[in-house]
């Protein structure tokens, strides 16, 4: 078996000089200031690489900053201490071999089932067909699995630890909890239960720093990443996380990659088959450790419920529509949501002057919607938006503008939906069910997205123009609202002019629906006028 050293072999997809390339773990850490960022061809894998390898390696090698000043000194240095990083990776080099005979990276050596069954490698890749998980537009079937390179297999392996589906898993020899060759009750991977929010900087170094939490008491003495723990066996435990490093590198599955000799592939091997079984389960909330999600406080939690729950992303909902939660860095929102820890920390760093007000900042949001009993992946929700760092401050004019835009857009969505309902009522039809079809408000909000992105990017560059930005938004929002409304008004059936009950003085009819929509626009946007109106 040929080894594949993750420290020195290229396997991490990044953008460098405007080109997509793959770099080694060592290069990613010591040359991060020269790398634009992680390439997001597969955001599930990108987040997994960040959380499972890059961030914990930095934290374990350098330690967590104890205060904001220490964090700032690292930020101002502009790069990580190459000597410390290199020494650390050399010390643990044998644990970063993907195909090590006794301790393969993030796997279990010799893992097997009682019948020596294997699965196609597509089991680790949600976008490919396997078992009941058959994506609608998959070009492959389960009997035709891809042959992943070692680099691709490493990324898929990490993504499985983060996002794998739940339900029944094949039982492994040596696991005492196996019954009838299976284990049941498996939860999804830990990130599958979160709405992941990742701050992204101008370079990979900046991104890693923005994801580095300040921990006044330091990392817990018992804490360690998975590569400093004893090699895992087929048995697993239900336990709490030992600390942040343990949580970031959580081994939610027991996996073994099976290689095929291939002289044309990097490393001389490809991976087509895999053994995957149950892994460790978190039995306690990681609210005090988890930095990458917003949290909602339960109003009246039952004794068997956690007091806080992770906020998950909603399918079809752009990230900018959740700006209120992202900006809840000082006080919770009206529905008791607080921002992710890293954004709250960044708000404090900006307030104390440790980062500039024109800091190039984006926020990447990633989530998974699972299907039947969480055993299949129905959807992967991904979005990335620019975010003015000054908007994180509680008393910022930019924050007020950004929140006003988000609130106004939501009110306009409701108004557009009401217009559609009123026109259907005038024609004698029933309302469109909220969970079926495309409603008029959804079309309107979708048309807002490019404008809101430009507004956020503009405020990041020129935070002093918040008032002008809001005025321009109102003008554009009104124009877009009429661009969506006018086609349905002009093509309404003739019967809507008098409505289904012509004798009713205030019954539903076209003129009433249009007047109601016009009033709603004025209520939300004021009296700003455009030619379109």
């Amino acid at each position: 078996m040929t080894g594949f050293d993750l420290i020195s072999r290229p396997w991490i997809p990044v953008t460098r000089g405007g080109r997509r390339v793959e770099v080694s773990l060592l290069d990613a850490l010591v040359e991060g200031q020269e790398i634009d960022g992680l390439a997001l061809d597969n955001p599930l894998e990108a987040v997994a690489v960040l959380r499972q390898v890059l961030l914990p390696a930095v934290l374990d090698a350098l330690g967590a900053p104890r205060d904001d000043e220490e964090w700032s000194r690292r930020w101002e240095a502009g790069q990580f201490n190459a000597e410390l990083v290199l020494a650390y990776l050399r010390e643990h080099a044998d644990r970063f071999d993907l195909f090590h005979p006794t301790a393969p990276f993030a796997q279990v050596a010799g893992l097997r089932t009682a019948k020596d069954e294997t699965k196609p490698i597509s089991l680790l890749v949600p976008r490919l067909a396997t078992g009941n998980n058959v994506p609608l537009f998959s070009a492959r079937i389960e009997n035709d699995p891809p042959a992943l390179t070692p680099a691709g297999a490493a990324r898929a392996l990490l993504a499985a630890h983060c996002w794998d589906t739940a339900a029944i898993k094949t039982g492994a020899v040596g696991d005492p909890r196996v019954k009838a060759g299976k284990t049941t009750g498996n939860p999804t991977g830990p990130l599958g239960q979160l709405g992941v929010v990742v701050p992204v900087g101008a370079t990979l170094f900046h991104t890693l720093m923005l994801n580095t939490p300040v921990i006044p008491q330091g990392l817990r003495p018992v804490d360690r990443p998975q590569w400093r723990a004893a090699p895992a066996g087929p048995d697993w435990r239900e336990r709490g996380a030992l600390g942040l490093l343990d949580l970031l590198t959580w081994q939610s599955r027991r996996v073994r990659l099976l290689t095929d000799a291939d002289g044309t592939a990097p490393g001389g091997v490809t991976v087509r088959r895999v053994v995957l079984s149950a892994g460790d389960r978190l039995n306690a909330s990681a609210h005090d450790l988890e930095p990458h999600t917003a949290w909602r406080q339960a109003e009246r939690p039952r004794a068997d419920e956690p007091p806080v729950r992770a906020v998950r992303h909603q399918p079809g909902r752009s990230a900018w529509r959740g700006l209120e939660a992202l900006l809840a860095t000082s006080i919770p929102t009206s529905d008791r949501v607080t921002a992710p820890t890293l954004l709250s920390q960044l708000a404090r760093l900006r307030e104390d002057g440790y980062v500039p007000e024109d800091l190039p900042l984006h926020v990447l949001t990633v989530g998974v919607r699972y299907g039947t009993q969480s055993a299949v992946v129905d959807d992967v929700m991904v979005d990335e938006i620019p975010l003015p760092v000054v908007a994180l401050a509680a008393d910022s004019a930019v924050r007020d503008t950004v929140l006003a835009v988000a609130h106004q857009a939501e009110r306009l969505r409701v108004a557009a939906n009401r217009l559609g309902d009123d026109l259907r009522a005038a024609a004698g039809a029933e309302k469109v069910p909220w969970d079926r079809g495309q409603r008029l408000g959804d079309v309107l909000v979708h048309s807002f997205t490019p404008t809101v992105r430009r507004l956020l990017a503009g405020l990041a560059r020129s935070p002093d123009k918040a008032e002008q930005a809001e005025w321009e938004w109102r003008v554009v929002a009104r124009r877009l609202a009429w661009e969506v409304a006018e086609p349905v008004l002009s093509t309404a059936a003739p019967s809507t002019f008098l409505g289904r009950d012509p004798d009713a003085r205030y019954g539903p009819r076209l003129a009433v629906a249009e007047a109601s929509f016009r009033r709603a626009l004025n209520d939300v946007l004021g009296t700003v006028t455009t030619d379109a109106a």
Side-chain angles (χ1 to χ4, degrees), residues 294-297 322-340 343-345 347-348 351 391-395 399-400 403 407:
W295 297 93
R296 176 177 283 107
Q297 183 79 31
L323 279 169
E324 185 178 14
L326 296 180
L327 301 183
T329 56
S330 55
I331 58 174
T333 65
S334 58
D335 56 349
R336 304 177 301 282
V337 173
T338 54
L343 293 185
S344 297
Q345 173 179 291
R348 186 182 70 245
E351 184 177 354
L392 297 171
D395 57 351
R399 175 194 178 92
D400 293 341
L403 290 179
H407 292 160

Side-chain angles (χ1 to χ4, degrees), residues 196-265:
V196 175
V197 177
V198 179
V200 178
T203 67
L204 181 56
F205 167 78
H206 286 146
T207 296
L208 288 171
M209 283 300 305
L210 292 173
N211 286 273
T212 297
V214 174
I215 306 178
Q217 69 276 19
L219 296 168
R220 299 175 183 177
V222 296
D223 194 14
R224 79 289 178 277
Q226 56 89 3
W227 54 81
R228 281 208 293 113
D235 56 323
W236 50 273
R237 291 186 294 162
E238 191 169 346
R239 61 182 180 85
L242 299 175
L244 178 60
L245 298 176
D246 185 29
L247 179 67
L248 292 174
T249 61
W250 192 260
Q251 300 293 280
S252 69
R253 298 293 181 263
R254 298 293 185 256
V255 186
R256 176 187 168 205
L257 300 175
L258 304 175
T259 59
D260 292 326
D262 185 344
T264 64

Side-chain angles (χ1 to χ4, degrees), residues 144 154 180 276 345 358 405:
D144 179 31
L276 183 145
Q345 173 179 291
D358 60 350
V405 167

Side-chain angles (χ1 to χ4, degrees), residues 12-15 28-29 31-40 46-51 54-56 58-59 71 74-75 78-80 196-213 291-292 342-343 345-346 349 355 359-364 384:
I12 301 175
V14 300
T15 303
L29 296 182
E31 299 177 8
Q33 68 280 1
E34 301 172 8
I35 296 173
D36 301 331
L38 294 174
L40 300 179
V47 171
V49 170
L50 176 75
R51 279 185 54 112
L54 295 177
L55 185 56
V58 168
L59 289 172
W71 187 96
R74 295 189 189 181
W75 177 271
Q79 61 185 52
F80 296 119
V196 175
V197 177
V198 179
V200 178
T203 67
L204 181 56
F205 167 78
H206 286 146
T207 296
L208 288 171
M209 283 300 305
L210 292 173
N211 286 273
T212 297
H292 284 125
L342 292 170
L343 293 185
Q345 173 179 291
L346 186 54
L349 292 168
V355 294
L359 172 74
L361 174 67
H362 283 69
V363 171
L364 171 68
E384 184 173 356

Side-chain angles (χ1 to χ4, degrees), residues 126-330:
R127 67 179 184 275
L128 298 177
T130 178
N132 292 328
N133 191 43
V134 184
L136 181 61
F137 297 109
S138 175
R140 288 182 176 274
I141 59 175
E142 183 175 1
N143 292 332
D144 179 31
L148 296 186
T149 65
R155 298 191 297 269
L157 167 69
L158 296 174
H161 280 301
C162 293
W163 312 95
D164 189 39
T165 56
I168 297 172
K169 300 296 174 186
T170 302
V173 173
D175 179 2
R177 304 194 192 194
V178 172
K179 294 182 180 180
K182 301 174 182 178
T183 58
T184 58
N186 300 282
T188 66
L191 296 195
Q193 303 168 40
L194 310 178
V196 175
V197 177
V198 179
V200 178
T203 67
L204 181 56
F205 167 78
H206 286 146
T207 296
L208 288 171
M209 283 300 305
L210 292 173
N211 286 273
T212 297
V214 174
I215 306 178
Q217 69 276 19
L219 296 168
R220 299 175 183 177
V222 296
D223 194 14
R224 79 289 178 277
Q226 56 89 3
W227 54 81
R228 281 208 293 113
D235 56 323
W236 50 273
R237 291 186 294 162
E238 191 169 346
R239 61 182 180 85
L242 299 175
L244 178 60
L245 298 176
D246 185 29
L247 179 67
L248 292 174
T249 61
W250 192 260
Q251 300 293 280
S252 69
R253 298 293 181 263
R254 298 293 185 256
V255 186
R256 176 187 168 205
L257 300 175
L258 304 175
T259 59
D260 292 326
D262 185 344
T264 64
V269 297
T270 58
V271 180
R272 284 184 175 271
R273 311 292 295 182
V274 64
V275 179
L276 183 145
S277 61
D280 293 339
R281 303 179 186 180
L282 281 166
N283 65 359
S285 171
H287 171 250
D288 58 331
L289 295 172
E290 178 55 60
H292 284 125
T293 192
W295 297 93
R296 176 177 283 107
Q297 183 79 31
E299 186 173 7
R300 295 185 182 88
R302 300 195 305 265
D304 59 343
E305 287 183 327
V308 292
R309 290 183 178 275
V311 177
R312 301 180 68 173
H313 304 312
Q314 298 179 26
R317 185 181 174 96
S318 300
W320 65 265
R321 295 179 62 193
L323 279 169
E324 185 178 14
L326 296 180
L327 301 183
T329 56
S330 55

